[in-house]
Amino acid sequence: MASSQITSCALVLLALCSAVQGAIDRHALVARFNPVRTASSTNTPMQVGNGHFAFGADVTGLQTFLPWATMSDWGWKNDSFPPGMSAADLASYRGVVWDGVQYEFGGPEPTQQWLISNPNRVNLGRVGLLFVDGDGGAANVTEEALGGRRQVLDLWTGTITSTFRWEGEEVTVRTVAAQSSSALSLTISSSLLLHGRLGIFLDFPWNDGSQKFEAPFVGVWNATSSHTTSLKTGSGLGRNVHAQVAHTMVENTFFTSISGDDFTIARVSQAAHRYEIKPRSPQGTFSIAIAYSSAHNVASSTPTQIQAESTEAWEDFWSNHGFVDVLTGSTDARAEELQRRIILSQYLLRVNEAGDYPPQESGLVDNGWYGKFHMEMFFWHSAHWALWNNWDLLERASSVYARFLPTAIERAQVQQGYPIATLEKWREVVHATADWMSVFAHKNTSTGFFDLGPPMYVVSEDTNPNVTRNPAFELAYWRFGLDHASTWLTRLGEDVPALWTEVKENLAPLPIENGLYAVYEGIPNDFWDTPTYTNDHPALVGLYGWLPRTANVSTDMAKATAEKVWTSWNISNCWGWDFPMLAMSAARNGETEKAIEWLLHPLFEFDDIGMPVGGVRVPTPYFPGSGALLYAVAMMAEGWDGSEGNAPGFPTRGWAVRTERMSKAI
Ligand SMILES: *[C@@H]1O[C@H](CO)[C@@H](O)[C@H](O)[C@H]1NC(C)=O
Ligand SMILES: *[C@@H]1O[C@H](CO)[C@@H](O)[C@H](O)[C@H]1NC(C)=O
Ligand SMILES: *[C@@H]1O[C@H](CO)[C@@H](O)[C@H](O)[C@H]1NC(C)=O
Ligand SMILES: *[C@@H]1O[C@H](CO)[C@@H](O)[C@H](O)[C@H]1NC(C)=O
Ligand SMILES: *[C@@H]1O[C@H](CO)[C@@H](O)[C@H](O)[C@H]1NC(C)=O
Ligand SMILES: *[C@@H]1O[C@H](CO)[C@@H](O)[C@H](O)[C@H]1NC(C)=O
Ligand SMILES: *[C@@H]1O[C@H](CO)[C@@H](O)[C@H](O)[C@H]1NC(C)=O
């Protein structure tokens, strides 16, 4: 009797406790920020995707009025060689030699430009809503002619639902991306279907590497004779596939396979690459799947399977990984916007930046740098996955360090002449990287220290590499890297190579001018007042912030240097991850109010659907800004090695912060 009373008492207490301390209501917080649009944006598309593949939509949920991109981590093509260039030129290409080291740039044209712009990332094609007029022809409809437009992206299931009226009738389009393939499920519901008034059109652009940036749209739609398409229907295609368009550009062919409800498909004219798809039987809904691939015989999922996959994968993403609630219980008015940025960045990074290669600056939205990986910014794009416990997503692209290692070692040893031991996934990568770092640093016989550079390009890329010696941030990062590689090896029970230790212990001291760290040793001492040096990434604030406490960095001097950056740097020229990096430095230095201000700085913008605005320097979207935001938020909310208390990077007044399944930053 007594014991059951105690038990029920305990249950009541437990219930009371969990009402206060219970799990974060993740669904409510995610759904609160479901983006809604009533008109197409000409700057950014609403997207569905899976990290390997993404589809950008206008207000119809398709690419009806605006040719947003359909892009992937596998869709690449080569241009043909320009006049005067052959495969032999490619094989014999060598770049410049600086101080006896050969770098793969600065070689002969036109080979060098071909190498820069190839392979380039392909926009796989366009899918739009086809409006059919009374006599069966294509009707010329503009967005303004559609009434009651409203589009919602349900973040929890990865579903865009777009509704509008045409000719007085309601139309609903549901757009979902597959999670295990590069496919799309489309479901149109409208009484107009009963009268044959709606269908789908496909179109295919020419893609080439003639432009470094292709934004906001990718591909050329009127160069129809530069490429070919052909249609196949009937049997002999992949399982479930009823029709397939093969799209060939030079020597690369991409396949678009259509399955689902019965339809007819026809090419509009031989001169164009446009195909029209119409439901074969009059029903109130029409569902099809459109799958993209580089092989012609792939099985297609059904629209229903794609929808189920999307719901399952997104629910898992939101429910079972890291989560931060800065909103519930906060009284600071900025909490709403910060929570919005967090949720929408999580969605967009999983759509755009979770492929098998490091992402490009603009993810799968548009093309920058010919669609190439943004490898030098991999940390800002992708390190947040670790803190948010999305190891599965981090594993995809981070595996390139092991996959590329053989060619990287060959380049360093054979072409550049650095001695590097070749060893077995991460162990080899860590070992080879630390080997290279310790032979790149060279002993200065007059000082006895190991110097970095010249030549040396620093984070800000705004100093002359030929005179840049011992840059402060890079020295601290070198020390950090060699320290971690040594710890790693020790934990594996192996001996640390003596050279690593010698270099690490004898790296040149960080350059100091007037009690503050300087960008590099020998920089003009009025550099703080010289626009040449104060207009780009302020990496000096990374000395303690982005980096944890490292040997040879005084945290007091690092803090004073960061505060000098606040007043002397041209902050109006900062962009993207600069702001989260400034926030991380402020947070580690105990300046939590300032950390929030940097995270929500007016020049660090996210649009209505959470796309990171490029700002003064780069096109939109600039995803390192989103990745860096999530890294900084994780660090400020969950803490870092050695931090104390709950949410150590947030001000104590006005903010209530709760986390689930997050990891601390180092
Ligand atoms: C492009 O050409 C290079 C050099 O010949 C080749 O290694 C690469 O596989 C080609 N890529 C594609 C997508 O065709
Ligand atoms: C740096 O030195 C190399 C090799 O001597 C030279 O080709 C290059 O133009 C120099 N770069 C600058 C920015 O001075
Ligand atoms: C479609 O209509 C718009 C505006 O009414 C017009 O500018 C455009 O030229 C028309 N296009 C065609 C192909 O008729
Ligand atoms: C395609 O359109 C662009 C811009 O409208 C124009 O400059 C170009 O000449 C056109 N190309 C062809 C092949 O028609
Ligand atoms: C050695 O270090 C001193 C001081 O940093 C520098 O002036 C000198 O140029 C360095 N020597 C060499 C050979 O790099
Ligand atoms: C850097 O730190 C190490 C200890 O880790 C110390 O032995 C060395 O003297 C320091 N060097 C400088 C230049 O401060
Ligand atoms: C600071 O950055 C702004 C924005 O890019 C630019 O217009 C201005 O010229 C820069 N100021 C200086 C002193 O370089």
Side-chain angles (χ1 to χ4, degrees), residues 7-23:
T7 309
S8 60
C9 232
L11 282 175
V12 169
L13 273 175
L14 208 68
L16 277 174
C17 272
S18 61
V20 183
Q21 277 300 325

Side-chain angles (χ1 to χ4, degrees), residues 19-33:
V20 183
Q21 277 300 325
I24 296 170
D25 186 347
R26 296 181 176 213
H27 184 268
L29 271 175
V30 170
R32 182 186 183 103
F33 298 102

Side-chain angles (χ1 to χ4, degrees), residues 90-113:
L90 206 55
S92 65
Y93 175 89
R94 298 286 177 275
V96 290
V97 175
W98 283 10
D99 289 349
V101 175
Q102 187 203 299
Y103 297 92
E104 289 189 336
F105 61 80
E109 297 291 3
T111 311
Q112 151 141 310
Q113 185 54 42

Side-chain angles (χ1 to χ4, degrees), residues 183-184 202 237-245 255-259 263 289-293 295-300:
L184 206 61
L202 304 180
L237 303 168
R239 183 164 50 82
N240 294 332
V241 177
H242 307 325
Q244 188 174 69
V245 178
F255 297 89
T256 303
S257 304
I258 308 118
S259 56
F263 59 85
I290 300 179
Y292 297 90
S293 61
H296 67 93
N297 57 348
V298 290
S300 182

Side-chain angles (χ1 to χ4, degrees), residues 316-355:
D316 171 69
F317 175 73
W318 294 118
S319 309
N320 299 324
H321 300 274
F323 205 90
V324 174
D325 175 5
V326 300
L327 184 58
T328 315
S330 287
T331 53
D332 193 300
R334 295 168 296 181
E336 177 90 14
E337 175 59 11
L338 186 56
Q339 188 73 52
R340 185 186 81 90
R341 292 176 178 205
I342 294 170
I343 299 287
L344 295 179
S345 298
Q346 286 182 274
Y347 179 82
L348 288 174
L349 291 176
R350 189 180 175 279
V351 167
N352 286 286
E353 305 232 68

Side-chain angles (χ1 to χ4, degrees), residues 583-605:
M584 285 156 67
S585 144
R588 283 212 213 244
N589 286 322
E591 300 287 342
T592 54
E593 178 53 40
K594 199 72 191 168
I596 296 289
E597 281 173 27
W598 286 123
L599 271 192
L600 292 159
H601 193 278
L603 292 175
F604 186 43
E605 285 182 276

